[in-house]
Amino acid sequence: MKKIKEFTQDYIDQNSSNENHLFYDFLHSKEPYQSIFKNNPWMLPPDIKKPLEWGDHYWDTTVGRKHQYWKDFELPKPSKDINQIREDFLEWGFALIEDAMSKEQTSRFLNRLLEQAEGEKLAKIENITPSGQYVNTLINKGEVFAQCIEQNPEAVQAGPLIEQLLNESLGKGWICHSFLANGADPGGYPQGLHMDQGPLSPWITQEAPALVNTMYIPQDINEENGGTLVIPGSHRIMIEAGSDGQIGELPPAINLEAKAGTIMLFDGRLLHGTAVNKSDKPRFVATMSNVKSWMRTQENWVISVAPEILKNASPKLLHRIGLQALTYGSTIEGFGLGASGRIGDKWGAIQQFRVAYDEGNYQRVRELSAASTQEELSKDYTVRSARKNTKE
Ligand SMILES: [Fe+2]
């Protein structure tokens, strides 16, 4: 076969210098982080090969009410009032939901989490990060966590309020990006301050976030034990700079202060990160971020969810973990194209493919033609039974 010159790698390489690249300047701008670090050297993350330094660094801070810069501002206070929460979320990029978990719910959550963290250490499979221990994929590690993903009031009494605000920010049909516990262990390093929707950079969604995080706080947090670092209102600075925009001097970070049972709702454009735990006890929070229905999720739920959890999952839980296909997400062999994405829609019920897979029965459609045997043509293809099930 004669090679076409224009399709050879050599020719393509010769004609693909950076000036030729599509969208090169925009996609390689490294904004907003480049200007953040240039104009705010105190924002640079620590060198985790060296002992942690104190001084002019974002982690050397305190709670808002004690902070020289922030103490006279009306920063968000824990509240149960949906209108107050909306206001705080818009103005400061975060809001604190007071008693989002009752005392009993909080201790059920915390006890299971601490037991699990201990068990993973004993099994020598703990996930230790520079900040502390993470406990991943909580959905498999206690009924309480699956209930939280559903925002079930049995586990999280503020569930209906959280759902309302996520519907408003992300549009109905949003799904759970991941749910994991983030430890700040004594002696650990702070996380670099970041935006959770940072992977979209240099795009900054201007009008609304593309990701909203809900942070479960099952134990009191403060400036001593690693209350999460946030730069209040930093989402607005991002919005004003816009996509590919440059960021000037930023206000300082604070440690979050909240009582056990609080849930922090925060905008995917807010600068935040795990703080330093100066106490002698571990400190956990758990982050459940949420994204629009068609986005790829951080947790690959389709693989990770345990079979019996999947089998017993409510239609709502299946939807929330992305196991409800819709035209532009999670279709399997074309099944789900045309589906509405609504909870329980049979046209998007992809759970059955995973069940078939678990049972060793998943039959994919392979090469077929008029020459295929009758056996090949009449195979029990999983997509065949899935389509049949939509009619039942
Ligand atoms: Fe984050």
Side-chain angles (χ1 to χ4, degrees), residues 191 194-196 213 266 272-274 287:
Q191 249 184 355
H194 63 280
M195 292 181 284
D196 281 342
N213 209 331
F266 65 105
H272 69 282
T274 305
T287 45

Side-chain angles (χ1 to χ4, degrees), residues 171-369:
K172 277 192 177 167
W174 52 273
I175 56 173
C176 186
H177 200 35
S178 63
F179 188 27
L180 69 157
N182 320 76
D185 291 349
Y189 291 88
Q191 249 184 355
L193 294 188
H194 63 280
M195 292 181 284
D196 281 342
Q197 70 174 68
L200 262 178
S201 301
W203 278 281
I204 301 289
T205 54
Q206 201 86 28
E207 295 78 10
L211 178 155
V212 176
N213 209 331
T214 46
M215 188 170 92
Y216 286 66
I217 302 171
Q219 54 188 121
D220 294 353
I221 57 168
N222 48 51
E223 73 276 32
E224 272 305 301
N225 71 353
T228 305
L229 297 164
V230 296
I231 299 188
S234 47
H235 71 308
R236 280 194 174 273
I237 299 172
M238 301 299 154
I239 295 168
E240 277 157 29
S243 295
D244 193 22
Q246 302 213 351
I247 306 293
E249 276 184 37
L250 284 166
I254 56 167
N255 287 115
L256 202 67
E257 181 176 43
K259 289 225 171 320
T262 309
I263 289 180
M264 173 167 72
L265 196 69
F266 65 105
D267 187 302
R269 301 165 293 186
L270 182 79
L271 288 165
H272 69 282
T274 305
V276 181
N277 183 351
K278 294 179 254 178
S279 78
D280 55 4
K281 291 192 192 73
R283 179 242 65 177
F284 276 110
V285 295
T287 45
M288 184 198 294
S289 47
N290 304 286
V291 292
K292 292 176 126 8
S293 58
W294 51 270
M295 282 164 70
R296 179 154 82 156
T297 53
Q298 182 170 44
E299 174 78 40
N300 196 338
W301 308 97
V302 177
I303 295 284
S304 61
V305 177
E308 76 280 9
I309 291 176
L310 195 82
K311 266 195 179 165
N312 299 324
S314 68
K316 183 176 184 181
L317 183 59
L318 290 171
H319 175 277
R320 193 136 296 168
I321 60 175
L323 272 121
Q324 182 76 50
L326 67 170
T327 298
Y328 35 82
S330 292
T331 64
I332 298 182
E333 295 190 71
F335 185 82
L337 290 173
S340 67
R342 282 195 208 101
I343 293 172
D345 177 12
K346 286 180 176 178
W347 286 96
I350 56 169
Q351 175 198 21
Q352 54 196 321
F353 287 83
R354 172 53 210 270
V355 171
Y357 182 88
D358 286 340
E359 291 169 351
N361 296 328
Y362 183 16
Q363 289 284 354
R364 296 169 179 87
V365 178
R366 306 301 303 275
E367 290 184 32
L368 292 173
S369 73

Side-chain angles (χ1 to χ4, degrees), residues 45-53 130 189:
D47 180 348
I48 59 166
K49 293 192 195 91
K50 293 186 185 153
L52 190 65
E53 283 175 15
Y189 291 88

